[in-house]
Amino acid sequence: MIVLGVETSCDETAVAIVEDGKKILADVVYSQIDIHKLYGGVVPEIASRKHIAKIISVFDEAFKQAGKTASDIDLVAVTTHPGLIGSLLVGINAAYAFSLANSIPCIGVDHIYGHIYANYVEADFKFPTLALVVSGGHTELVLMRDHYDFSVLGETMDDAVGEAYDKVARVMGLPYPGGVMVDNLACEYKREPLYHLPIYDSDDYNFSFSGVKSAVLNLLNKCHMKGEDVNFHALSYAFQDTVTNVLVKKTVKAALEYNVKQVIVAGGVAANKGLRARLSDAIRKLDSVELVFPKFRYCTDNAVMIAVAGYFQKLTSDKQQS
Ligand code: KG4
Ligand code: ZN
């Protein structure tokens, strides 16, 4: 089955063509980051306008890359939610128009399921598998007992982890999106910890990151008022250490409780070097649990993950109907 994936939920205009959920025939992403950087975050109105300007050429480029034509496509999969409504509409309209014009079925895909299926490019799923979703808009622990069978064990009660990273970066004066820069500063810090930050911790699988984010803000304000210098490397290290600690602890607890065979990590923060190192150490200690991270390219928004998720969504619904 050859699936055409379309993703425009935020600030990436992306189209991909993937065969049988694994073989990537085309992968085109046009990123608007440089434009939104000027405003310190994504401006929804600009994002949807840019999607409109780019979507046709991104479609064309994908078909050129794959060496395929419309008649080769068996299914169109497009992100329908969650995301910026104006941005989503551009991808949905383009995908649906393409599907109508060529009489190809079109299905809507949940963006978060897409992030989860970015892992399938790396490794087959071994059920039960536990997904740690750490994106710009979501933080969840999701148990999967089969393909397209998702049970949310816990989620953030306030900020998503990526959102907290970006806000911390912003108050430190780093450009958008700052998550990766906080990660880089944290990894460069090799001395004794200078700062200690509080974080919400609990026995369940829910998360909260607004407290630790506010603690960074308060620390910066206090230092500013006292005229003290802040060591941004040490502060990034403290933030990353505190956040990854909780993420890893809850992931390990859930992996043990649900006897999972595999842990997969999804969303933009799956690119975080500190989280990768820490989670790798912790999962290595568990007996026969495989850890999978998507390639860096597939951690942030792309259409390959939507095509793969769409493929499994279709297989699962066909199975249920037969
Ligand atoms: O998953 P994603 O595309 O967003 C949503 O779908 O919501 O990921 C974007 C988020 C941004 O918040 C970005 O700062 C964060 O992922 N991010 C990182 C890193 N790379 C991307 N956060 C921490 N460390 C990184 N290396
Ligand atoms: Zn995303």
PDB file of all heavy atoms in Angstrom, residues 213-240:
ATOM      1  N   LYS A 213       9.189  25.592  35.499  1.00  0.00           N
ATOM      2  CA  LYS A 213       9.360  26.738  34.578  1.00  0.00           C
ATOM      3  C   LYS A 213       9.332  28.050  35.376  1.00  0.00           C
ATOM      4  O   LYS A 213      10.191  28.918  35.206  1.00  0.00           O
ATOM      5  CB  LYS A 213       8.239  26.698  33.545  1.00  0.00           C
ATOM      6  CG  LYS A 213       8.231  27.853  32.588  1.00  0.00           C
ATOM      7  CD  LYS A 213       6.906  27.956  31.874  1.00  0.00           C
ATOM      8  CE  LYS A 213       5.797  28.418  32.793  1.00  0.00           C
ATOM      9  NZ  LYS A 213       4.476  28.432  32.176  1.00  0.00           N
ATOM     10  N   SER A 214       8.351  28.159  36.311  1.00  0.00           N
ATOM     11  CA  SER A 214       8.256  29.376  37.131  1.00  0.00           C
ATOM     12  C   SER A 214       9.476  29.523  38.034  1.00  0.00           C
ATOM     13  O   SER A 214       9.935  30.647  38.290  1.00  0.00           O
ATOM     14  CB  SER A 214       7.011  29.337  38.018  1.00  0.00           C
ATOM     15  OG  SER A 214       5.884  29.220  37.218  1.00  0.00           O
ATOM     16  N   ALA A 215      10.002  28.393  38.499  1.00  0.00           N
ATOM     17  CA  ALA A 215      11.187  28.443  39.366  1.00  0.00           C
ATOM     18  C   ALA A 215      12.374  29.047  38.614  1.00  0.00           C
ATOM     19  O   ALA A 215      13.156  29.822  39.180  1.00  0.00           O
ATOM     20  CB  ALA A 215      11.528  27.041  39.876  1.00  0.00           C
ATOM     21  N   VAL A 216      12.501  28.705  37.326  1.00  0.00           N
ATOM     22  CA  VAL A 216      13.584  29.285  36.513  1.00  0.00           C
ATOM     23  C   VAL A 216      13.372  30.800  36.389  1.00  0.00           C
ATOM     24  O   VAL A 216      14.300  31.590  36.562  1.00  0.00           O
ATOM     25  CB  VAL A 216      13.639  28.630  35.104  1.00  0.00           C
ATOM     26  CG1 VAL A 216      14.612  29.376  34.192  1.00  0.00           C
ATOM     27  CG2 VAL A 216      14.019  27.156  35.202  1.00  0.00           C
ATOM     28  N   LEU A 217      12.132  31.172  36.129  1.00  0.00           N
ATOM     29  CA  LEU A 217      11.786  32.594  35.990  1.00  0.00           C
ATOM     30  C   LEU A 217      12.100  33.379  37.258  1.00  0.00           C
ATOM     31  O   LEU A 217      12.728  34.444  37.220  1.00  0.00           O
ATOM     32  CB  LEU A 217      10.285  32.689  35.712  1.00  0.00           C
ATOM     33  CG  LEU A 217       9.903  33.365  34.432  1.00  0.00           C
ATOM     34  CD1 LEU A 217       8.658  32.713  33.865  1.00  0.00           C
ATOM     35  CD2 LEU A 217       9.651  34.826  34.695  1.00  0.00           C
ATOM     36  N   ASN A 218      11.676  32.808  38.415  1.00  0.00           N
ATOM     37  CA  ASN A 218      11.912  33.470  39.705  1.00  0.00           C
ATOM     38  C   ASN A 218      13.405  33.620  39.986  1.00  0.00           C
ATOM     39  O   ASN A 218      13.860  34.659  40.464  1.00  0.00           O
ATOM     40  CB  ASN A 218      11.271  32.672  40.848  1.00  0.00           C
ATOM     41  CG  ASN A 218       9.765  32.740  40.767  1.00  0.00           C
ATOM     42  OD1 ASN A 218       9.219  33.628  40.112  1.00  0.00           O
ATOM     43  ND2 ASN A 218       9.086  31.788  41.408  1.00  0.00           N
ATOM     44  N   LEU A 219      14.154  32.560  39.677  1.00  0.00           N
ATOM     45  CA  LEU A 219      15.597  32.597  39.910  1.00  0.00           C
ATOM     46  C   LEU A 219      16.243  33.716  39.081  1.00  0.00           C
ATOM     47  O   LEU A 219      17.058  34.496  39.586  1.00  0.00           O
ATOM     48  CB  LEU A 219      16.186  31.237  39.528  1.00  0.00           C
ATOM     49  CG  LEU A 219      17.622  30.946  39.922  1.00  0.00           C
ATOM     50  CD1 LEU A 219      17.768  29.466  40.279  1.00  0.00           C
ATOM     51  CD2 LEU A 219      18.610  31.293  38.822  1.00  0.00           C
ATOM     52  N   LEU A 220      15.816  33.807  37.819  1.00  0.00           N
ATOM     53  CA  LEU A 220      16.368  34.856  36.944  1.00  0.00           C
ATOM     54  C   LEU A 220      16.008  36.245  37.457  1.00  0.00           C
ATOM     55  O   LEU A 220      16.855  37.138  37.493  1.00  0.00           O
ATOM     56  CB  LEU A 220      15.833  34.673  35.512  1.00  0.00           C
ATOM     57  CG  LEU A 220      16.484  33.553  34.702  1.00  0.00           C
ATOM     58  CD1 LEU A 220      15.679  33.255  33.440  1.00  0.00           C
ATOM     59  CD2 LEU A 220      17.912  33.924  34.326  1.00  0.00           C
ATOM     60  N   ASN A 221      14.744  36.406  37.892  1.00  0.00           N
ATOM     61  CA  ASN A 221      14.306  37.713  38.406  1.00  0.00           C
ATOM     62  C   ASN A 221      15.085  38.113  39.647  1.00  0.00           C
ATOM     63  O   ASN A 221      15.532  39.255  39.775  1.00  0.00           O
ATOM     64  CB  ASN A 221      12.809  37.675  38.748  1.00  0.00           C
ATOM     65  CG  ASN A 221      11.977  37.749  37.488  1.00  0.00           C
ATOM     66  OD1 ASN A 221      12.477  38.167  36.452  1.00  0.00           O
ATOM     67  ND2 ASN A 221      10.721  37.322  37.576  1.00  0.00           N
ATOM     68  N   LYS A 222      15.249  37.147  40.568  1.00  0.00           N
ATOM     69  CA  LYS A 222      15.978  37.433  41.820  1.00  0.00           C
ATOM     70  C   LYS A 222      17.406  37.856  41.513  1.00  0.00           C
ATOM     71  O   LYS A 222      17.913  38.841  42.055  1.00  0.00           O
ATOM     72  CB  LYS A 222      15.982  36.187  42.710  1.00  0.00           C
ATOM     73  CG  LYS A 222      14.806  36.148  43.655  1.00  0.00           C
ATOM     74  CD  LYS A 222      14.949  35.009  44.629  1.00  0.00           C
ATOM     75  CE  LYS A 222      13.587  34.643  45.193  1.00  0.00           C
ATOM     76  NZ  LYS A 222      13.494  33.258  45.603  1.00  0.00           N
ATOM     77  N   CYS A 223      18.068  37.100  40.636  1.00  0.00           N
ATOM     78  CA  CYS A 223      19.459  37.423  40.289  1.00  0.00           C
ATOM     79  C   CYS A 223      19.535  38.808  39.652  1.00  0.00           C
ATOM     80  O   CYS A 223      20.433  39.598  39.942  1.00  0.00           O
ATOM     81  CB  CYS A 223      20.044  36.383  39.334  1.00  0.00           C
ATOM     82  SG  CYS A 223      20.338  34.811  40.139  1.00  0.00           S
ATOM     83  N   HIS A 224      18.558  39.097  38.796  1.00  0.00           N
ATOM     84  CA  HIS A 224      18.526  40.381  38.101  1.00  0.00           C
ATOM     85  C   HIS A 224      18.401  41.523  39.115  1.00  0.00           C
ATOM     86  O   HIS A 224      19.124  42.517  39.046  1.00  0.00           O
ATOM     87  CB  HIS A 224      17.334  40.373  37.136  1.00  0.00           C
ATOM     88  CG  HIS A 224      17.257  41.591  36.291  1.00  0.00           C
ATOM     89  ND1 HIS A 224      18.199  41.864  35.327  1.00  0.00           N
ATOM     90  CD2 HIS A 224      16.371  42.628  36.271  1.00  0.00           C
ATOM     91  CE1 HIS A 224      17.894  43.011  34.755  1.00  0.00           C
ATOM     92  NE2 HIS A 224      16.792  43.488  35.308  1.00  0.00           N
ATOM     93  N   MET A 225      17.475  41.343  40.106  1.00  0.00           N
ATOM     94  CA  MET A 225      17.255  42.394  41.107  1.00  0.00           C
ATOM     95  C   MET A 225      18.486  42.614  41.976  1.00  0.00           C
ATOM     96  O   MET A 225      18.778  43.721  42.389  1.00  0.00           O
ATOM     97  CB  MET A 225      16.039  42.053  41.965  1.00  0.00           C
ATOM     98  CG  MET A 225      14.746  42.372  41.214  1.00  0.00           C
ATOM     99  SD  MET A 225      13.252  42.243  42.180  1.00  0.00           S
ATOM    100  CE  MET A 225      13.295  40.662  42.873  1.00  0.00           C
ATOM    101  N   LYS A 226      19.199  41.511  42.247  1.00  0.00           N
ATOM    102  CA  LYS A 226      20.392  41.631  43.092  1.00  0.00           C
ATOM    103  C   LYS A 226      21.625  42.024  42.277  1.00  0.00           C
ATOM    104  O   LYS A 226      22.715  42.164  42.822  1.00  0.00           O
ATOM    105  CB  LYS A 226      20.662  40.284  43.768  1.00  0.00           C
ATOM    106  CG  LYS A 226      19.688  39.935  44.877  1.00  0.00           C
ATOM    107  CD  LYS A 226      20.216  38.685  45.559  1.00  0.00           C
ATOM    108  CE  LYS A 226      19.149  37.940  46.309  1.00  0.00           C
ATOM    109  NZ  LYS A 226      19.505  36.538  46.513  1.00  0.00           N
ATOM    110  N   GLY A 227      21.456  42.105  40.972  1.00  0.00           N
ATOM    111  CA  GLY A 227      22.592  42.441  40.103  1.00  0.00           C
ATOM    112  C   GLY A 227      23.589  41.291  39.978  1.00  0.00           C
ATOM    113  O   GLY A 227      24.757  41.513  39.659  1.00  0.00           O
ATOM    114  N   GLU A 228      23.136  40.069  40.236  1.00  0.00           N
ATOM    115  CA  GLU A 228      24.045  38.907  40.142  1.00  0.00           C
ATOM    116  C   GLU A 228      24.025  38.322  38.737  1.00  0.00           C
ATOM    117  O   GLU A 228      22.990  38.325  38.069  1.00  0.00           O
ATOM    118  CB  GLU A 228      23.583  37.801  41.109  1.00  0.00           C
ATOM    119  CG  GLU A 228      23.850  38.116  42.562  1.00  0.00           C
ATOM    120  CD  GLU A 228      23.227  37.053  43.477  1.00  0.00           C
ATOM    121  OE1 GLU A 228      22.698  36.039  42.980  1.00  0.00           O
ATOM    122  OE2 GLU A 228      23.268  37.271  44.705  1.00  0.00           O
ATOM    123  N   ASP A 229      25.158  37.801  38.310  1.00  0.00           N
ATOM    124  CA  ASP A 229      25.216  37.133  37.001  1.00  0.00           C
ATOM    125  C   ASP A 229      24.576  35.748  37.100  1.00  0.00           C
ATOM    126  O   ASP A 229      24.662  35.103  38.142  1.00  0.00           O
ATOM    127  CB  ASP A 229      26.672  36.948  36.549  1.00  0.00           C
ATOM    128  CG  ASP A 229      27.255  38.260  36.064  1.00  0.00           C
ATOM    129  OD1 ASP A 229      26.457  39.157  35.721  1.00  0.00           O
ATOM    130  OD2 ASP A 229      28.499  38.380  36.056  1.00  0.00           O
ATOM    131  N   VAL A 230      23.960  35.320  36.005  1.00  0.00           N
ATOM    132  CA  VAL A 230      23.389  33.963  35.980  1.00  0.00           C
ATOM    133  C   VAL A 230      24.253  33.108  35.058  1.00  0.00           C
ATOM    134  O   VAL A 230      24.617  33.543  33.962  1.00  0.00           O
ATOM    135  CB  VAL A 230      21.932  33.982  35.460  1.00  0.00           C
ATOM    136  CG1 VAL A 230      21.363  32.568  35.369  1.00  0.00           C
ATOM    137  CG2 VAL A 230      21.060  34.854  36.343  1.00  0.00           C
ATOM    138  N   ASN A 231      24.572  31.907  35.511  1.00  0.00           N
ATOM    139  CA  ASN A 231      25.313  30.970  34.664  1.00  0.00           C
ATOM    140  C   ASN A 231      24.280  30.184  33.838  1.00  0.00           C
ATOM    141  O   ASN A 231      23.632  29.267  34.338  1.00  0.00           O
ATOM    142  CB  ASN A 231      26.156  30.039  35.555  1.00  0.00           C
ATOM    143  CG  ASN A 231      26.981  29.081  34.730  1.00  0.00           C
ATOM    144  OD1 ASN A 231      26.576  28.657  33.646  1.00  0.00           O
ATOM    145  ND2 ASN A 231      28.159  28.735  35.245  1.00  0.00           N
ATOM    146  N   PHE A 232      24.106  30.568  32.567  1.00  0.00           N
ATOM    147  CA  PHE A 232      23.062  29.952  31.724  1.00  0.00           C
ATOM    148  C   PHE A 232      23.337  28.476  31.445  1.00  0.00           C
ATOM    149  O   PHE A 232      22.408  27.689  31.269  1.00  0.00           O
ATOM    150  CB  PHE A 232      22.890  30.730  30.411  1.00  0.00           C
ATOM    151  CG  PHE A 232      22.154  32.033  30.588  1.00  0.00           C
ATOM    152  CD1 PHE A 232      22.361  33.098  29.727  1.00  0.00           C
ATOM    153  CD2 PHE A 232      21.232  32.199  31.622  1.00  0.00           C
ATOM    154  CE1 PHE A 232      21.674  34.291  29.883  1.00  0.00           C
ATOM    155  CE2 PHE A 232      20.545  33.386  31.797  1.00  0.00           C
ATOM    156  CZ  PHE A 232      20.774  34.438  30.922  1.00  0.00           C
ATOM    157  N   HIS A 233      24.615  28.127  31.403  1.00  0.00           N
ATOM    158  CA  HIS A 233      24.951  26.706  31.218  1.00  0.00           C
ATOM    159  C   HIS A 233      24.456  25.895  32.421  1.00  0.00           C
ATOM    160  O   HIS A 233      23.802  24.869  32.268  1.00  0.00           O
ATOM    161  CB  HIS A 233      26.467  26.511  31.074  1.00  0.00           C
ATOM    162  CG  HIS A 233      26.977  26.814  29.705  1.00  0.00           C
ATOM    163  ND1 HIS A 233      27.337  28.076  29.322  1.00  0.00           N
ATOM    164  CD2 HIS A 233      27.172  26.015  28.629  1.00  0.00           C
ATOM    165  CE1 HIS A 233      27.732  28.041  28.053  1.00  0.00           C
ATOM    166  NE2 HIS A 233      27.644  26.801  27.611  1.00  0.00           N
ATOM    167  N   ALA A 234      24.755  26.413  33.630  1.00  0.00           N
ATOM    168  CA  ALA A 234      24.373  25.697  34.857  1.00  0.00           C
ATOM    169  C   ALA A 234      22.853  25.672  35.017  1.00  0.00           C
ATOM    170  O   ALA A 234      22.287  24.668  35.473  1.00  0.00           O
ATOM    171  CB  ALA A 234      25.024  26.348  36.077  1.00  0.00           C
ATOM    172  N   LEU A 235      22.191  26.761  34.615  1.00  0.00           N
ATOM    173  CA  LEU A 235      20.732  26.829  34.752  1.00  0.00           C
ATOM    174  C   LEU A 235      20.060  25.860  33.760  1.00  0.00           C
ATOM    175  O   LEU A 235      19.098  25.165  34.109  1.00  0.00           O
ATOM    176  CB  LEU A 235      20.253  28.269  34.516  1.00  0.00           C
ATOM    177  CG  LEU A 235      18.785  28.545  34.801  1.00  0.00           C
ATOM    178  CD1 LEU A 235      18.385  28.137  36.214  1.00  0.00           C
ATOM    179  CD2 LEU A 235      18.454  30.023  34.579  1.00  0.00           C
ATOM    180  N   SER A 236      20.586  25.801  32.550  1.00  0.00           N
ATOM    181  CA  SER A 236      20.053  24.848  31.557  1.00  0.00           C
ATOM    182  C   SER A 236      20.252  23.425  32.048  1.00  0.00           C
ATOM    183  O   SER A 236      19.367  22.575  31.917  1.00  0.00           O
ATOM    184  CB  SER A 236      20.762  25.018  30.208  1.00  0.00           C
ATOM    185  OG  SER A 236      20.553  26.305  29.723  1.00  0.00           O
ATOM    186  N   TYR A 237      21.425  23.189  32.620  1.00  0.00           N
ATOM    187  CA  TYR A 237      21.717  21.852  33.151  1.00  0.00           C
ATOM    188  C   TYR A 237      20.709  21.492  34.247  1.00  0.00           C
ATOM    189  O   TYR A 237      20.143  20.391  34.261  1.00  0.00           O
ATOM    190  CB  TYR A 237      23.152  21.804  33.705  1.00  0.00           C
ATOM    191  CG  TYR A 237      23.448  20.499  34.404  1.00  0.00           C
ATOM    192  CD1 TYR A 237      23.871  19.385  33.675  1.00  0.00           C
ATOM    193  CD2 TYR A 237      23.244  20.365  35.787  1.00  0.00           C
ATOM    194  CE1 TYR A 237      24.092  18.169  34.295  1.00  0.00           C
ATOM    195  CE2 TYR A 237      23.459  19.156  36.412  1.00  0.00           C
ATOM    196  CZ  TYR A 237      23.888  18.068  35.671  1.00  0.00           C
ATOM    197  OH  TYR A 237      24.093  16.858  36.293  1.00  0.00           O
ATOM    198  N   ALA A 238      20.453  22.439  35.161  1.00  0.00           N
ATOM    199  CA  ALA A 238      19.541  22.176  36.285  1.00  0.00           C
ATOM    200  C   ALA A 238      18.129  21.888  35.757  1.00  0.00           C
ATOM    201  O   ALA A 238      17.453  20.961  36.217  1.00  0.00           O
ATOM    202  CB  ALA A 238      19.516  23.373  37.236  1.00  0.00           C
ATOM    203  N   PHE A 239      17.689  22.676  34.784  1.00  0.00           N
ATOM    204  CA  PHE A 239      16.346  22.488  34.223  1.00  0.00           C
ATOM    205  C   PHE A 239      16.241  21.121  33.543  1.00  0.00           C
ATOM    206  O   PHE A 239      15.319  20.349  33.802  1.00  0.00           O
ATOM    207  CB  PHE A 239      16.042  23.621  33.226  1.00  0.00           C
ATOM    208  CG  PHE A 239      14.709  23.477  32.558  1.00  0.00           C
ATOM    209  CD1 PHE A 239      13.532  23.739  33.254  1.00  0.00           C
ATOM    210  CD2 PHE A 239      14.616  23.063  31.233  1.00  0.00           C
ATOM    211  CE1 PHE A 239      12.289  23.589  32.646  1.00  0.00           C
ATOM    212  CE2 PHE A 239      13.383  22.912  30.616  1.00  0.00           C
ATOM    213  CZ  PHE A 239      12.216  23.175  31.322  1.00  0.00           C
ATOM    214  N   GLN A 240      17.222  20.824  32.702  1.00  0.00           N
ATOM    215  CA  GLN A 240      17.188  19.555  31.956  1.00  0.00           C
ATOM    216  C   GLN A 240      17.274  18.351  32.901  1.00  0.00           C
ATOM    217  O   GLN A 240      16.563  17.363  32.735  1.00  0.00           O
ATOM    218  CB  GLN A 240      18.350  19.523  30.954  1.00  0.00           C
ATOM    219  CG  GLN A 240      18.397  18.274  30.114  1.00  0.00           C
ATOM    220  CD  GLN A 240      18.707  18.609  28.656  1.00  0.00           C
ATOM    221  OE1 GLN A 240      18.032  19.428  28.039  1.00  0.00           O
ATOM    222  NE2 GLN A 240      19.721  17.990  28.114  1.00  0.00           N
TER     223      GLN A 240
END
